[in-house]
Amino acid sequence: MPVSNLLGPSLVNSLKLVALAFVLVVPLSILGGTVAALRRNRLTDRVITIAGLSLTSIPEFVTAIVLIVIFGVVLKWLPVSATAPPGSGVLTQIKFLLLPSFALVAVLFGYIARITRAGVIEAIDADYTRTAFLKGLSTRRVLFRHVLRSSLLPTIAVVATQTGYLIGGLLVIEKLFNYNGIGQRIYVAGTNKDFTLLQSGVLIVGLVYLTATLVADLLYSVLNPRIRFGGAD
């Protein structure tokens, strides 16, 4: 059997889970980090920071089990398995992927929000931000046109580095939610000493990681004019 017949569907499954997790965690983390930075050293900042650090320190399998018990067993709001029935529509697949996505969101939120908070604080204290306020620009315009645009650079790098982890390191989540992703496929290949499948799986994860890093570099050049001008020189 060709390796692609085994790894192809598993990679697609993992990409679906990672995409949904990023759609949830990136806006929430940026919003949380920005609010914490704007309210730094106040109660809101402390609540967001402590909550994020607490969620990050808890292993993903513990968070996943708690989510399964609460939302899958007790409340019965969401299915405990991430594998949707064959032929399911997009909304049904999203419903089945919500619980594992929430487990990933809990792990990544604190890290990404903390990086965003540090970037926003650094941008707020920069000279160009003070100059923008002195010119009479509104707080909203300064925040979106100057502060966020420069402060999101480290956040983009963090999100890119987490892509490789999410693609290849979802073994525990995929096991708990009975999900046939590429992480579980690589694990099975390793335990069965299927070196061809194992090498191909690791190669795919590496290519995904390189692609995510390349996208991050391109976004760097879009958000930071100094990089574009430096490249032109």
Side-chain angles (χ1 to χ4, degrees), residues 41-105:
N41 300 326
R42 299 182 184 179
L43 179 61
T44 304
D45 180 21
R46 294 189 179 95
V47 170
I48 294 176
T49 302
I50 294 175
L53 291 175
S54 301
L55 291 174
T56 303
S57 62
I58 300 175
E60 61 266 25
F61 68 88
V62 176
T63 305
I65 292 174
V66 172
L67 291 174
I68 290 174
V69 172
I70 295 177
F71 296 101
V73 178
V74 177
L75 298 177
K76 301 183 184 301
W77 288 355
L78 297 171
V80 297
S81 174
T83 303
S88 300
V90 176
L91 294 180
T92 302
Q93 294 185 39
I94 291 176
K95 181 180 179 180
F96 275 79
L97 292 176
L98 279 179
L99 277 184
S101 298
F102 289 156
L104 297 176
V105 168

Side-chain angles (χ1 to χ4, degrees), residues 147-208:
V147 174
L148 286 181
R149 186 165 185 173
S150 59
S151 64
L152 291 183
L153 292 176
T155 303
I156 292 173
V158 169
V159 172
T161 55
Q162 295 302 310
T163 303
Y165 156 72
L166 290 180
I167 293 294
L170 296 176
L171 172 61
V172 175
I173 297 297
E174 292 171 356
K175 281 287 186 181
L176 284 174
F177 291 95
N178 190 28
Y179 195 62
N180 181 25
I182 194 168
Q184 184 173 356
R185 182 66 67 181
I186 291 175
Y187 171 77
V188 173
T191 55
N192 293 334
K193 297 182 179 180
D194 190 344
F195 296 111
T196 302
L197 184 61
L198 179 62
Q199 291 172 349
S200 301
V202 172
L203 176 62
I204 289 176
V205 173
L207 291 175
V208 171

Side-chain angles (χ1 to χ4, degrees), residues 29-39 113 116-117 120 143 148 151-152:
S29 301
I30 293 176
L31 177 61
T34 303
V35 172
L38 296 176
R39 307 286 294 179
T116 303
R117 176 186 180 275
V120 172
L143 179 63
L148 286 181
S151 64
L152 291 183

